[in-house]
Amino acid sequence: MKYNILSLGILFLLAATMGACIDDQGNYDYRAESEIMPAVISGLESEYTFQLGSTHELTANVEGVEGVENLRYMWYVYGELKKKRDTLGYGKKLNFKVDWESGNYFLWFEVRDTVRDVCVDYKMGVTVESFLSTAWLVLESTGGMTDVDVVTADGSLKENLLSSGGQARLKGKPVKMAYTYKHEQEEEKGDGKVEVVTKKAFYLLSEKEIKVYNAENMELLKTAEDCFYEVPAVIAPMDCNMDSDAQLINDGKYYYLSGNSANVGKFGYAKLGPDGTTDYDLYGGILPASQAAMVWDKRSCSFLYIYAYNAQLGYFNEQVDGKEDFGSVTDMGAELKYLLYRSQVYDINVYAYITMGYGIMEKQGEYYIADIAFNNKSDYPLKGWYKLPADCKIIHSEVLGAHQTTASIFFASDDELWIHDVRNVADVSLRERKLFTFTGEKIACIRHIKIARGDFDCLTVLTNTGGNWKLYTFPFIGGGNEFDTTVPAEDVLIGKGEGEANSFLRMYQGGAY
Amino acid sequence: MKKLFNYILGICIILGNMCACQQQGTEMYENDPRIFFARGDRGYGQQDSIMHSFFTVPEDQDRDTVFIELKTMGFPAEVYRPVKIIQTNAGAVNAAVPGIHYVAFDDPSIANQFAVAPGKVAVKIPVILLRDKSLETGKVRLEMTVGMNEYFQPGIDKDRNFMVQTTAMSEKPTNWDTYWIYTFGDWGSKKMWLIVNYVGYSNFDESISDTGYRDYLKLKAHTKLAEYNQTHTQPLCENPNQHHQPGETCKDCVLFP
């Protein structure tokens, strides 16, 4: 009996299984998307650029759904800086104020049948800019106090961003301005809890102060006292480099703040020198690399290697056998006159970015150019060593700027802009030549700015005359180091303002150059 | 016979189930104020003891306070409700002695802090520990329990007792090998002394999420160690018997990673 029941059961299951596979014609009915949800959206652009704080009205035209009920029209935004979808409003018309951080977003308009839960949407790219995110920022001083002037994208000038906004100028003359897209800041929320938020920020360095400002609106985020867990005895900022990590030289000592770790945007204690003590005194310049840097110690007359996670600065290795050796970079018996950053280039042979730069060196009354190339390791960092003939004008220059891709250095000689080709040729006329004269103006800063995405490749020169500054840009021709030297100065003038300027930043497409 | 047995078994099961469904009377809570030592979940927060060391207290400080949290059962009251804490190991070997190792709980300077404030259901009572000479070579224990008074009866059984141990000898923090080792390296008595007295950090129980601050502590420790070694004839060393020639270090010398 049991056997019969079991047999019948198996037969039944077999029949059912077979039946499921026989003559299955399916019931597929492919229908066009427009048939299911026939809404057609028009009247909107695919790309928008909005100024931070501006208000806008967008109106969508929706056709093809006449007579359809239960429709919902919705606008929402998300993007890199708004990772969660943020609903802006409902209806075909949207009035809104742009209060998002500057950056890139996607704005969506959606028409949804709320009964059938089907929708049609339209995606718009939105770039939000603050007046600072596309501006030239010039660090200048009046009466020995530092402020920032701004030349906006439309060429208009805003003088004294700090003092005109009711904020104090920085004490002392300007040293440097730097930008970071990732500054961590403690903010007290309404419930009294402190939250760490990421801000885009400017570091402003003067001879006597360091302050951090919100890069969207110049709100003061940190004073010098807030920038450190323990404020150094002397605040004398000399140089800084800001990327995801922050590097600072203050009073000859090196400070590092890792951007890859949980932090509150404060520097810790200065790193120790190569002998494990604080007995070192750095030149005010940093050649940055990934989680590393190269600096010059005036006390030991050595280039020093810095790795972010080492407590001590270290010496570079000597050259390995078989490779061209230009002499040790430790205890060089030389003085570094100028440290020039060129660029960082990815080297597929070592799978790392190589930091390129030049050092103008004086050794026993003779001058040299150290051609520097180092990755983030302590490998021997010189790839060239060029003796400068005594009549080279570059020896006496105090304002220099390297071309990023060609072996050349622009420098100031009185009111003249010159170029020096980095090569071993005895004839100085083949190495140096005058390019341009800014009659009666003193050159304060020279920099090659190259923005690949922005198709911007210019030599930018900042000059001072009679308590006023002027900023010029000379577009390079064909990616090389040449530009039209016959152009009238006023044709390449970006802006001018009051004050004695020393440096500038070019804000563009979410970055600083 | 088998059928009869199955029937009886079925009837028993049905009757049993019916009984299980009988309505139960609701137990109503009567206000019965009790008190017990608070205990954090999953090992976090206050547990059943505190290991204190004057080693992590600046050398010129002769007393240090630890706080013990008590929680109440029952409704909050509109008046101050004193709590009674009794030392249970008085007279035992290595027992803390009031007035020598700690300030007595009924001392007028702190007695009023041994009370649950109106409207509150918890209180943190201070235990003021005193730096006695004997602590430099030994440890003392202050074992205590919650007592009964007109306001409270002892609460949860397993949370009625608490212990505070103190010493002036160096004590390796329990979280050193899982936490601080990444900032300061291997533990050592002299290393900890330097961190407390030169770096100025002693709160080893806390967990710091700000890695920038930990980096700051680490670099400061490096710097202070360098300063110490530069200003002393011998480098800071865990081995008190080791003699160092000028500039010489040994495997026991204090180092930071």
Side-chain angles (χ1 to χ4, degrees):
Chain A
M1 184 63 186
K2 259 186 186 176
Y3 177 78
N4 288 340
I5 291 169
L6 191 66
S7 302
L8 278 169
I10 291 168
L11 275 171
F12 178 76
L13 281 172
L14 203 62
T17 309
M18 288 173 73
C21 304
I22 294 170
D23 199 23
D24 183 1
Q25 300 296 324
N27 186 26
Y28 306 120
D29 182 11
Y30 294 105
R31 293 163 66 192
E33 188 179 286
S34 59
E35 191 183 326
I36 296 167
M37 186 61 186
V40 177
I41 300 168
S42 62
L44 299 170
E45 304 288 334
S46 60
E47 297 283 337
Y48 288 98
T49 299
F50 298 137
Q51 285 293 310
L52 179 65
S54 59
T55 53
H56 298 273
E57 181 178 294
L58 299 178
T59 305
N61 296 323
V62 181
E63 294 170 339
V65 287
E66 293 77 10
V68 179
E69 294 182 345
N70 302 312
L71 290 180
R72 186 186 68 188
Y73 304 99
M74 183 168 73
W75 303 79
Y76 62 90
V77 66
Y78 76 82
E80 192 181 337
L81 299 165
K82 266 189 184 295
K83 292 189 172 116
K84 284 183 185 172
R85 198 167 102 165
D86 192 359
T87 303
L88 297 178
Y90 296 92
K92 293 181 191 173
K93 192 176 281 188
L94 174 70
N95 284 292
F96 69 107
K97 183 177 182 182
V98 181
D99 57 359
W100 324 322
E101 273 188 70
S102 59
N104 297 315
Y105 301 85
F106 291 112
L107 174 64
W108 295 77
F109 173 69
E110 178 190 279
V111 182
R112 181 174 292 270
D113 183 331
T114 56
V115 174
R116 293 184 298 153
D117 200 24
V118 291
C119 72
V120 168
D121 53 32
Y122 186 83
K123 179 183 175 186
M124 293 151 273
V126 173
T127 302
V128 175
E129 297 175 345
S130 75
F131 77 99
L132 290 169
S133 62
T134 53
W136 292 87
L137 284 79
V138 177
L139 201 58
E140 53 86 11
S141 69
T142 307
M145 302 284 275
T146 295
D147 210 321
V148 181
D149 292 349
V150 177
V151 181
T152 58
D154 63 3
S156 60
L157 175 73
K158 288 180 189 289
E159 294 255 31
N160 302 320
L161 209 52
L162 300 178
S163 50
S164 66
Q167 300 197 61
R169 288 166 168 261
L170 277 74
K171 293 173 198 158
K173 290 184 177 176
V175 172
K176 188 169 181 179
M177 183 174 194
Y179 168 83
T180 176
Y181 64 93
K182 196 179 175 191
H183 178 76
E184 306 297 338
Q185 178 74 12
E186 287 180 304
E187 276 189 358
E188 193 171 321
K189 298 296 176 187
D191 57 2
K193 288 182 179 170
V194 175
E195 196 175 287
V196 179
V197 292
T198 304
K199 302 269 187 188
K200 295 171 181 171
F202 293 121
Y203 277 77
L204 261 63
L205 276 59
S206 73
E207 292 170 320
K208 297 175 183 171
E209 283 197 272
I210 172 169
K211 287 185 177 178
V212 185
Y213 296 88
N214 187 331
E216 301 283 299
N217 54 17
M218 289 307 279
E219 170 200 8
L220 178 65
L221 298 177
K222 284 186 172 78
T223 63
E225 287 71 27
D226 304 322
C227 284
F228 298 88
Y229 292 107
E230 188 172 330
V231 184
V234 178
I235 297 289
M238 298 164 71
D239 192 19
C240 68
N241 183 267
M242 303 293 158
D243 199 348
S244 59
D245 302 333
Q247 305 183 63
L248 170 74
I249 295 177
N250 178 68
D251 192 31
K253 300 290 184 285
Y254 177 88
Y255 297 78
Y256 179 82
L257 170 59
S258 171
N260 294 327
S261 60
N263 68 82
V264 295
K266 293 188 177 202
F267 289 106
Y269 232 61
K271 286 186 187 287
L272 294 166
D275 65 349
T277 73
T278 54
D279 184 23
Y280 69 96
D281 184 16
L282 298 185
Y283 166 90
I286 300 170
L287 289 186
S290 174
Q291 297 185 327
M294 181 178 185
V295 290
W296 172 260
D297 177 23
K298 292 186 278 187
R299 206 157 287 170
S300 65
C301 297
S302 306
F303 280 110
L304 298 183
Y305 164 73
I306 298 168
Y307 180 59
Y309 301 105
N310 288 349
Q312 291 182 210
L313 283 59
Y315 294 115
F316 279 95
N317 299 337
E318 300 300 323
Q319 182 60 294
V320 294
D321 290 342
K323 290 194 173 180
E324 197 168 8
D325 191 348
F326 302 100
S328 175
V329 296
T330 302
D331 193 13
M332 296 177 78
E335 183 185 351
L336 178 74
K337 307 297 289 185
Y338 213 102
L339 189 62
L340 279 166
Y341 172 78
R342 288 179 67 192
S343 61
Q344 286 179 286
V345 180
Y346 191 73
D347 185 339
I348 56 169
N349 296 313
V350 293
Y351 304 108
Y353 277 93
I354 308 295
T355 297
M356 319 276 277
Y358 294 121
I360 310 293
M361 318 283 298
E362 182 188 0
K363 191 173 184 180
Q364 296 167 344
E366 295 187 323
Y367 289 83
Y368 302 86
I369 294 178
D371 193 356
I372 297 164
F374 87 106
N375 53 24
N376 62 350
K377 296 184 175 63
S378 57
D379 300 339
Y380 183 73
L382 296 189
K383 67 167 187 171
W385 182 258
Y386 302 91
K387 186 177 179 185
L388 291 168
D391 49 348
C392 277
K393 284 181 176 289
I394 195 172
I395 292 169
H396 308 291
S397 180
E398 293 180 347
V399 182
L400 304 92
H403 190 273
Q404 290 189 18
T405 53
T406 68
S408 50
I409 300 170
F410 300 95
F411 65 93
S413 177
D414 299 324
D415 60 358
E416 295 171 348
L417 176 69
W418 284 64
I419 188 170
H420 178 100
D421 290 331
V422 182
R423 55 179 177 156
N424 275 324
V425 179
D427 185 351
V428 173
S429 67
L430 295 176
R431 294 173 78 157
E432 294 185 345
R433 61 189 183 279
K434 188 177 81 175
L435 298 175
F436 203 86
T437 303
F438 301 92
T439 308
E441 298 171 24
K442 186 179 179 186
I443 297 173
C445 185
I446 303 168
R447 279 179 48 214
H448 174 195
I449 297 179
K450 187 179 174 75
I451 307 173
R453 285 180 301 158
D455 194 23
F456 187 94
D457 185 15
C458 293
L459 185 72
T460 309
V461 180
L462 181 67
T463 69
N464 289 310
T465 177
N468 296 297
W469 59 261
K470 289 181 180 176
L471 188 65
Y472 304 92
T473 57
F474 298 90
F476 285 118
I477 299 165
N481 63 1
E482 294 187 359
F483 58 85
D484 182 2
T485 56
T486 63
V487 65
E490 57 269 22
D491 287 3
V492 287
L493 182 69
I494 290 291
K496 56 183 178 180
E498 293 177 359
E500 194 85 6
N502 91 320
S503 60
F504 57 88
L505 268 187
R506 167 67 161 135
M507 301 302 298
Y508 195 75
Q509 291 195 344
Y513 302 89
Chain B
M1 186 62 191
K2 196 176 176 183
K3 270 188 179 177
L4 183 63
F5 176 76
N6 285 342
Y7 283 133
I8 292 168
L9 185 67
I11 289 165
C12 286
I13 290 169
I14 291 165
L15 283 174
N17 286 341
M18 287 173 73
C19 290
C21 297
Q22 196 170 19
Q23 194 173 3
Q24 293 284 316
T26 308
E27 280 190 36
M28 298 296 288
Y29 176 76
E30 299 289 338
N31 189 21
D32 179 20
R34 291 174 182 265
I35 194 152
F36 58 97
F37 292 103
R39 186 193 289 256
D41 293 332
R42 297 187 294 276
Y44 290 97
Q46 177 176 293
Q47 296 299 300
D48 61 356
S49 60
I50 292 175
M51 299 295 170
H52 175 268
S53 176
F54 277 103
F55 193 82
T56 58
V57 176
E59 289 171 326
D60 58 351
Q61 191 177 318
D62 64 359
R63 55 176 58 197
D64 194 29
T65 306
V66 296
F67 288 90
I68 303 171
E69 186 176 16
L70 290 149
K71 286 188 172 176
T72 68
M73 300 166 75
F75 301 126
E78 294 177 353
V79 297
Y80 272 94
R81 293 181 291 171
V83 297
K84 188 175 183 181
I85 305 297
I86 306 161
Q87 181 175 5
T88 56
N89 68 332
V93 178
N94 295 330
V97 179
I100 295 175
H101 299 118
Y102 74 100
V103 175
F105 299 148
D106 58 357
D107 188 283
S109 63
I110 57 167
N112 62 353
Q113 295 182 59
F114 282 61
V116 180
K120 301 291 182 186
V121 292
V123 60
K124 286 187 176 178
I125 56 167
V127 176
I128 302 174
L129 300 162
L130 305 174
R131 191 197 287 268
D132 184 63
K133 198 86 179 159
S134 61
L135 297 178
E136 291 177 8
T137 52
K139 302 172 184 176
V140 296
R141 293 163 63 90
L142 170 56
E143 295 174 13
M144 63 194 94
T145 189
V146 286
M148 188 170 68
N149 63 8
E150 61 182 293
Y151 296 97
F152 296 107
Q153 292 185 62
I156 301 169
D157 289 353
K158 67 180 179 59
D159 294 334
R160 289 179 182 182
N161 300 310
F162 202 87
M163 192 275 287
V164 176
Q165 177 187 281
T166 185
T167 178
M169 298 190 299
S170 59
E171 286 274 287
K172 183 178 178 180
T174 52
N175 61 349
W176 187 279
D177 287 342
T178 55
Y179 190 78
W180 290 109
I181 193 169
Y182 302 109
T183 302
F184 297 125
D186 291 334
W187 184 84
S189 167
K190 289 291 182 186
K191 177 181 279 187
M192 196 145 144
W193 172 83
L194 183 97
I195 295 167
V196 172
N197 291 287
Y198 277 62
V199 178
Y201 186 79
S202 59
N203 191 5
F204 295 99
D205 292 334
E206 75 176 337
S207 177
I208 302 169
S209 59
D210 177 2
T211 54
Y213 186 70
R214 290 208 301 270
D215 289 344
Y216 152 73
L217 291 174
K218 179 178 171 179
L219 270 176
K220 189 172 181 182
H222 272 275
T223 307
K224 295 299 174 186
L225 176 63
E227 284 176 14
Y228 178 94
N229 288 342
Q230 280 180 314
T231 53
H232 290 74
T233 53
Q234 298 265 332
L236 189 64
C237 186
E238 299 292 353
N239 184 350
N241 302 317
Q242 177 72 39
H243 177 74
H244 302 83
Q245 296 295 331
E248 182 194 33
T249 56
C250 73
K251 65 179 177 52
D252 294 326
C253 281
V254 173
L255 284 175
F256 290 102

